[in-house]
Amino acid sequence: MSTDPACIFCKIIRGEIPSTKVYEDDDVLAFKDIHPSAPVHLLVVPKRHVSGLSATAPEDQAVLGKMLLVAPQIAREQGSVDGLRTIINDGRVGRQDVFHLHMHVLGGPGPLGRMMAMDE
Ligand code: 5GP
Ligand code: ZN
């Protein structure tokens, strides 16, 4: 399993930095975002370090699918019972801040704003 000693999300995966985990299996971890932008704001990450969506390879196909499958399940469990929004920021254009692939899972209870991204 590839891990980056300096990567903040790898540290969360290794348990070196605390997080509020909401889902974990052999391939992915989901935890609450430290600065929530919505009533439900979770991050789903592959346990294998990959810097971002643009850095994924065919071997990541299964884990990418699992990230999407997990999203509605954990959103519902956290109280977003009527839908959700997913966002993957990638690279400079996508204003990615943490360079370990992650999918934002945003939810209600109420409808989110009409934003296309999380910019204020
Ligand atoms: P990005 O802009 O890269 O798509 O999003 C990175 C996200 O990671 C931000 O929403 C930020 O609040 C979250 N984040 C950064 N550091 C930590 C941390 O140490 N713990 C948790 N739970 N979330 C973090
Ligand atoms: Zn990492």
Side-chain angles (χ1 to χ4, degrees):
M1 182 78 71
S2 168
T3 185
D4 178 341
C7 168
I8 193 160
F9 288 172
C10 283
K11 288 182 181 175
I12 285 175
I13 291 161
R14 291 196 301 266
E16 295 167 16
I17 293 178
S19 69
T20 306
K21 297 178 184 181
V22 300
Y23 177 86
E24 181 168 21
D25 65 26
D26 287 347
D27 307 310
V28 303
L29 175 68
F31 51 95
K32 294 188 179 182
D33 195 292
I34 203 164
H35 292 126
S37 300
V40 173
H41 189 169
L42 310 170
L43 299 171
V44 185
V45 303
K47 286 193 168 176
R48 186 179 94 84
H49 178 85
V50 54
S51 62
L53 192 61
S54 291
T56 53
E59 70 199 78
D60 299 307
Q61 181 172 329
V63 79
L64 286 165
K66 186 175 268 188
M67 288 165 68
L68 280 170
L69 274 174
V70 159
Q73 175 189 323
I74 58 177
R76 204 180 305 115
E77 285 168 0
Q78 295 298 312
S80 193
V81 295
D82 195 16
L84 66 144
R85 177 178 292 154
T86 61
I87 295 174
I88 298 177
N89 295 322
D90 186 78
R92 184 177 62 85
V93 170
R95 289 179 170 254
Q96 182 179 1
D97 291 321
V98 175
F99 283 84
H100 180 128
L101 172 63
H102 54 281
M103 184 171 70
H104 297 261
V105 175
L106 299 153
L112 303 171
R114 290 191 181 275
M115 59 190 181
M116 291 296 293
M118 292 191 301
D119 298 327
E120 55 285 343

PDB file of all heavy atoms in Angstrom, residues 1-24:
ATOM      1  N   MET A   1       0.866  -1.211   0.000  1.00  0.00           N
ATOM      2  CA  MET A   1       0.000   0.000   0.000  1.00  0.00           C
ATOM      3  C   MET A   1       0.888   1.242   0.000  1.00  0.00           C
ATOM      4  O   MET A   1       1.658   1.453   0.929  1.00  0.00           O
ATOM      5  CB  MET A   1      -0.901  -0.035   1.245  1.00  0.00           C
ATOM      6  CG  MET A   1      -1.866   1.125   1.353  1.00  0.00           C
ATOM      7  SD  MET A   1      -3.311   1.000   0.297  1.00  0.00           S
ATOM      8  CE  MET A   1      -4.214  -0.317   1.112  1.00  0.00           C
ATOM      9  N   SER A   2       0.785   2.063  -1.022  1.00  0.00           N
ATOM     10  CA  SER A   2       1.622   3.259  -1.137  1.00  0.00           C
ATOM     11  C   SER A   2       1.164   4.326  -0.151  1.00  0.00           C
ATOM     12  O   SER A   2      -0.019   4.618  -0.041  1.00  0.00           O
ATOM     13  CB  SER A   2       1.510   3.793  -2.572  1.00  0.00           C
ATOM     14  OG  SER A   2       2.059   5.071  -2.666  1.00  0.00           O
ATOM     15  N   THR A   3       2.113   4.873   0.604  1.00  0.00           N
ATOM     16  CA  THR A   3       1.800   5.909   1.580  1.00  0.00           C
ATOM     17  C   THR A   3       2.882   6.973   1.513  1.00  0.00           C
ATOM     18  O   THR A   3       4.023   6.672   1.176  1.00  0.00           O
ATOM     19  CB  THR A   3       1.659   5.300   2.994  1.00  0.00           C
ATOM     20  OG1 THR A   3       1.232   6.292   3.908  1.00  0.00           O
ATOM     21  CG2 THR A   3       2.941   4.666   3.476  1.00  0.00           C
ATOM     22  N   ASP A   4       2.530   8.223   1.800  1.00  0.00           N
ATOM     23  CA  ASP A   4       3.476   9.340   1.729  1.00  0.00           C
ATOM     24  C   ASP A   4       3.663   9.870   3.150  1.00  0.00           C
ATOM     25  O   ASP A   4       2.709  10.351   3.757  1.00  0.00           O
ATOM     26  CB  ASP A   4       2.900  10.416   0.796  1.00  0.00           C
ATOM     27  CG  ASP A   4       3.789  11.651   0.692  1.00  0.00           C
ATOM     28  OD1 ASP A   4       4.640  11.855   1.589  1.00  0.00           O
ATOM     29  OD2 ASP A   4       3.622  12.402  -0.281  1.00  0.00           O
ATOM     30  N   PRO A   5       4.879   9.792   3.703  1.00  0.00           N
ATOM     31  CA  PRO A   5       5.100  10.175   5.102  1.00  0.00           C
ATOM     32  C   PRO A   5       4.680  11.610   5.405  1.00  0.00           C
ATOM     33  O   PRO A   5       4.269  11.910   6.528  1.00  0.00           O
ATOM     34  CB  PRO A   5       6.612  10.012   5.289  1.00  0.00           C
ATOM     35  CG  PRO A   5       7.118   9.297   4.097  1.00  0.00           C
ATOM     36  CD  PRO A   5       6.087   9.333   3.023  1.00  0.00           C
ATOM     37  N   ALA A   6       4.749  12.494   4.417  1.00  0.00           N
ATOM     38  CA  ALA A   6       4.467  13.906   4.665  1.00  0.00           C
ATOM     39  C   ALA A   6       3.010  14.282   4.396  1.00  0.00           C
ATOM     40  O   ALA A   6       2.587  15.384   4.719  1.00  0.00           O
ATOM     41  CB  ALA A   6       5.381  14.768   3.790  1.00  0.00           C
ATOM     42  N   CYS A   7       2.251  13.362   3.806  1.00  0.00           N
ATOM     43  CA  CYS A   7       0.892  13.699   3.352  1.00  0.00           C
ATOM     44  C   CYS A   7      -0.090  13.686   4.527  1.00  0.00           C
ATOM     45  O   CYS A   7      -0.165  12.719   5.295  1.00  0.00           O
ATOM     46  CB  CYS A   7       0.460  12.696   2.287  1.00  0.00           C
ATOM     47  SG  CYS A   7      -1.280  12.760   1.878  1.00  0.00           S
ATOM     48  N   ILE A   8      -0.857  14.758   4.648  1.00  0.00           N
ATOM     49  CA  ILE A   8      -1.757  14.910   5.797  1.00  0.00           C
ATOM     50  C   ILE A   8      -2.846  13.837   5.802  1.00  0.00           C
ATOM     51  O   ILE A   8      -3.222  13.324   6.868  1.00  0.00           O
ATOM     52  CB  ILE A   8      -2.337  16.336   5.835  1.00  0.00           C
ATOM     53  CG1 ILE A   8      -2.999  16.632   7.164  1.00  0.00           C
ATOM     54  CG2 ILE A   8      -3.289  16.595   4.704  1.00  0.00           C
ATOM     55  CD1 ILE A   8      -3.136  18.104   7.437  1.00  0.00           C
ATOM     56  N   PHE A   9      -3.363  13.472   4.629  1.00  0.00           N
ATOM     57  CA  PHE A   9      -4.409  12.437   4.604  1.00  0.00           C
ATOM     58  C   PHE A   9      -3.813  11.047   4.830  1.00  0.00           C
ATOM     59  O   PHE A   9      -4.466  10.187   5.441  1.00  0.00           O
ATOM     60  CB  PHE A   9      -5.234  12.511   3.318  1.00  0.00           C
ATOM     61  CG  PHE A   9      -6.163  13.711   3.267  1.00  0.00           C
ATOM     62  CD1 PHE A   9      -6.856  14.026   2.104  1.00  0.00           C
ATOM     63  CD2 PHE A   9      -6.357  14.527   4.377  1.00  0.00           C
ATOM     64  CE1 PHE A   9      -7.714  15.116   2.046  1.00  0.00           C
ATOM     65  CE2 PHE A   9      -7.213  15.633   4.330  1.00  0.00           C
ATOM     66  CZ  PHE A   9      -7.889  15.927   3.161  1.00  0.00           C
ATOM     67  N   CYS A  10      -2.582  10.810   4.384  1.00  0.00           N
ATOM     68  CA  CYS A  10      -1.914   9.542   4.736  1.00  0.00           C
ATOM     69  C   CYS A  10      -1.722   9.456   6.252  1.00  0.00           C
ATOM     70  O   CYS A  10      -1.865   8.378   6.842  1.00  0.00           O
ATOM     71  CB  CYS A  10      -0.572   9.420   4.019  1.00  0.00           C
ATOM     72  SG  CYS A  10      -0.686   8.953   2.276  1.00  0.00           S
ATOM     73  N   LYS A  11      -1.424  10.598   6.884  1.00  0.00           N
ATOM     74  CA  LYS A  11      -1.270  10.597   8.346  1.00  0.00           C
ATOM     75  C   LYS A  11      -2.600  10.272   9.025  1.00  0.00           C
ATOM     76  O   LYS A  11      -2.635   9.557  10.037  1.00  0.00           O
ATOM     77  CB  LYS A  11      -0.738  11.949   8.833  1.00  0.00           C
ATOM     78  CG  LYS A  11       0.722  12.176   8.487  1.00  0.00           C
ATOM     79  CD  LYS A  11       1.208  13.503   9.044  1.00  0.00           C
ATOM     80  CE  LYS A  11       2.668  13.738   8.666  1.00  0.00           C
ATOM     81  NZ  LYS A  11       3.156  15.059   9.091  1.00  0.00           N
ATOM     82  N   ILE A  12      -3.688  10.788   8.478  1.00  0.00           N
ATOM     83  CA  ILE A  12      -5.015  10.463   9.019  1.00  0.00           C
ATOM     84  C   ILE A  12      -5.291   8.967   8.825  1.00  0.00           C
ATOM     85  O   ILE A  12      -5.760   8.283   9.745  1.00  0.00           O
ATOM     86  CB  ILE A  12      -6.098  11.346   8.351  1.00  0.00           C
ATOM     87  CG1 ILE A  12      -6.012  12.770   8.924  1.00  0.00           C
ATOM     88  CG2 ILE A  12      -7.492  10.761   8.538  1.00  0.00           C
ATOM     89  CD1 ILE A  12      -6.933  13.782   8.275  1.00  0.00           C
ATOM     90  N   ILE A  13      -4.961   8.438   7.649  1.00  0.00           N
ATOM     91  CA  ILE A  13      -5.179   7.009   7.366  1.00  0.00           C
ATOM     92  C   ILE A  13      -4.358   6.150   8.332  1.00  0.00           C
ATOM     93  O   ILE A  13      -4.839   5.130   8.838  1.00  0.00           O
ATOM     94  CB  ILE A  13      -4.819   6.705   5.892  1.00  0.00           C
ATOM     95  CG1 ILE A  13      -5.845   7.362   4.957  1.00  0.00           C
ATOM     96  CG2 ILE A  13      -4.724   5.206   5.636  1.00  0.00           C
ATOM     97  CD1 ILE A  13      -5.366   7.536   3.525  1.00  0.00           C
ATOM     98  N   ARG A  14      -3.125   6.580   8.613  1.00  0.00           N
ATOM     99  CA  ARG A  14      -2.264   5.810   9.524  1.00  0.00           C
ATOM    100  C   ARG A  14      -2.621   6.039  10.995  1.00  0.00           C
ATOM    101  O   ARG A  14      -2.047   5.418  11.883  1.00  0.00           O
ATOM    102  CB  ARG A  14      -0.788   6.179   9.298  1.00  0.00           C
ATOM    103  CG  ARG A  14      -0.219   5.715   7.956  1.00  0.00           C
ATOM    104  CD  ARG A  14       1.314   5.767   7.961  1.00  0.00           C
ATOM    105  NE  ARG A  14       1.817   7.107   8.228  1.00  0.00           N
ATOM    106  CZ  ARG A  14       2.145   8.003   7.307  1.00  0.00           C
ATOM    107  NH1 ARG A  14       2.033   7.702   6.030  1.00  0.00           N
ATOM    108  NH2 ARG A  14       2.582   9.190   7.637  1.00  0.00           N
ATOM    109  N   GLY A  15      -3.549   6.977  11.262  1.00  0.00           N
ATOM    110  CA  GLY A  15      -3.961   7.250  12.635  1.00  0.00           C
ATOM    111  C   GLY A  15      -3.032   8.191  13.382  1.00  0.00           C
ATOM    112  O   GLY A  15      -3.141   8.340  14.602  1.00  0.00           O
ATOM    113  N   GLU A  16      -2.117   8.849  12.662  1.00  0.00           N
ATOM    114  CA  GLU A  16      -1.158   9.752  13.303  1.00  0.00           C
ATOM    115  C   GLU A  16      -1.758  11.131  13.560  1.00  0.00           C
ATOM    116  O   GLU A  16      -1.261  11.889  14.388  1.00  0.00           O
ATOM    117  CB  GLU A  16       0.099   9.887  12.438  1.00  0.00           C
ATOM    118  CG  GLU A  16       0.879   8.582  12.319  1.00  0.00           C
ATOM    119  CD  GLU A  16       1.934   8.605  11.230  1.00  0.00           C
ATOM    120  OE1 GLU A  16       2.291   9.698  10.754  1.00  0.00           O
ATOM    121  OE2 GLU A  16       2.380   7.512  10.840  1.00  0.00           O
ATOM    122  N   ILE A  17      -2.799  11.470  12.802  1.00  0.00           N
ATOM    123  CA  ILE A  17      -3.571  12.699  13.025  1.00  0.00           C
ATOM    124  C   ILE A  17      -5.001  12.259  13.293  1.00  0.00           C
ATOM    125  O   ILE A  17      -5.521  11.413  12.556  1.00  0.00           O
ATOM    126  CB  ILE A  17      -3.508  13.633  11.797  1.00  0.00           C
ATOM    127  CG1 ILE A  17      -2.094  14.178  11.605  1.00  0.00           C
ATOM    128  CG2 ILE A  17      -4.524  14.761  11.894  1.00  0.00           C
ATOM    129  CD1 ILE A  17      -1.947  15.066  10.383  1.00  0.00           C
ATOM    130  N   PRO A  18      -5.636  12.807  14.357  1.00  0.00           N
ATOM    131  CA  PRO A  18      -7.004  12.376  14.657  1.00  0.00           C
ATOM    132  C   PRO A  18      -8.000  12.852  13.600  1.00  0.00           C
ATOM    133  O   PRO A  18      -7.808  13.898  12.969  1.00  0.00           O
ATOM    134  CB  PRO A  18      -7.296  13.028  16.017  1.00  0.00           C
ATOM    135  CG  PRO A  18      -6.291  14.108  16.185  1.00  0.00           C
ATOM    136  CD  PRO A  18      -5.105  13.774  15.326  1.00  0.00           C
ATOM    137  N   SER A  19      -9.046  12.073  13.424  1.00  0.00           N
ATOM    138  CA  SER A  19     -10.141  12.467  12.532  1.00  0.00           C
ATOM    139  C   SER A  19     -11.401  11.783  13.036  1.00  0.00           C
ATOM    140  O   SER A  19     -11.325  10.825  13.798  1.00  0.00           O
ATOM    141  CB  SER A  19      -9.853  12.037  11.090  1.00  0.00           C
ATOM    142  OG  SER A  19      -9.912  10.622  10.980  1.00  0.00           O
ATOM    143  N   THR A  20     -12.534  12.302  12.602  1.00  0.00           N
ATOM    144  CA  THR A  20     -13.805  11.655  12.922  1.00  0.00           C
ATOM    145  C   THR A  20     -14.182  10.770  11.748  1.00  0.00           C
ATOM    146  O   THR A  20     -14.696  11.239  10.733  1.00  0.00           O
ATOM    147  CB  THR A  20     -14.895  12.706  13.207  1.00  0.00           C
ATOM    148  OG1 THR A  20     -14.423  13.582  14.223  1.00  0.00           O
ATOM    149  CG2 THR A  20     -16.186  12.032  13.656  1.00  0.00           C
ATOM    150  N   LYS A  21     -13.885   9.480  11.890  1.00  0.00           N
ATOM    151  CA  LYS A  21     -14.125   8.530  10.799  1.00  0.00           C
ATOM    152  C   LYS A  21     -15.598   8.167  10.743  1.00  0.00           C
ATOM    153  O   LYS A  21     -16.232   7.958  11.779  1.00  0.00           O
ATOM    154  CB  LYS A  21     -13.288   7.260  11.005  1.00  0.00           C
ATOM    155  CG  LYS A  21     -11.790   7.514  10.982  1.00  0.00           C
ATOM    156  CD  LYS A  21     -11.010   6.227  11.247  1.00  0.00           C
ATOM    157  CE  LYS A  21      -9.516   6.545  11.309  1.00  0.00           C
ATOM    158  NZ  LYS A  21      -8.699   5.343  11.548  1.00  0.00           N
ATOM    159  N   VAL A  22     -16.137   8.077   9.541  1.00  0.00           N
ATOM    160  CA  VAL A  22     -17.531   7.656   9.377  1.00  0.00           C
ATOM    161  C   VAL A  22     -17.637   6.353   8.586  1.00  0.00           C
ATOM    162  O   VAL A  22     -18.692   5.714   8.586  1.00  0.00           O
ATOM    163  CB  VAL A  22     -18.398   8.761   8.725  1.00  0.00           C
ATOM    164  CG1 VAL A  22     -18.401  10.019   9.587  1.00  0.00           C
ATOM    165  CG2 VAL A  22     -17.946   9.076   7.312  1.00  0.00           C
ATOM    166  N   TYR A  23     -16.578   5.959   7.894  1.00  0.00           N
ATOM    167  CA  TYR A  23     -16.596   4.708   7.123  1.00  0.00           C
ATOM    168  C   TYR A  23     -15.159   4.285   6.864  1.00  0.00           C
ATOM    169  O   TYR A  23     -14.292   5.130   6.598  1.00  0.00           O
ATOM    170  CB  TYR A  23     -17.320   4.883   5.777  1.00  0.00           C
ATOM    171  CG  TYR A  23     -17.280   3.626   4.938  1.00  0.00           C
ATOM    172  CD1 TYR A  23     -18.234   2.625   5.100  1.00  0.00           C
ATOM    173  CD2 TYR A  23     -16.258   3.431   4.005  1.00  0.00           C
ATOM    174  CE1 TYR A  23     -18.172   1.452   4.360  1.00  0.00           C
ATOM    175  CE2 TYR A  23     -16.192   2.256   3.256  1.00  0.00           C
ATOM    176  CZ  TYR A  23     -17.153   1.279   3.440  1.00  0.00           C
ATOM    177  OH  TYR A  23     -17.074   0.121   2.714  1.00  0.00           O
ATOM    178  N   GLU A  24     -14.915   2.990   6.923  1.00  0.00           N
ATOM    179  CA  GLU A  24     -13.582   2.485   6.601  1.00  0.00           C
ATOM    180  C   GLU A  24     -13.688   1.059   6.097  1.00  0.00           C
ATOM    181  O   GLU A  24     -14.447   0.247   6.627  1.00  0.00           O
ATOM    182  CB  GLU A  24     -12.696   2.530   7.855  1.00  0.00           C
ATOM    183  CG  GLU A  24     -11.277   2.040   7.606  1.00  0.00           C
ATOM    184  CD  GLU A  24     -10.316   2.357   8.752  1.00  0.00           C
ATOM    185  OE1 GLU A  24     -10.799   2.598   9.883  1.00  0.00           O
ATOM    186  OE2 GLU A  24      -9.103   2.364   8.507  1.00  0.00           O
TER     187      GLU A  24
END
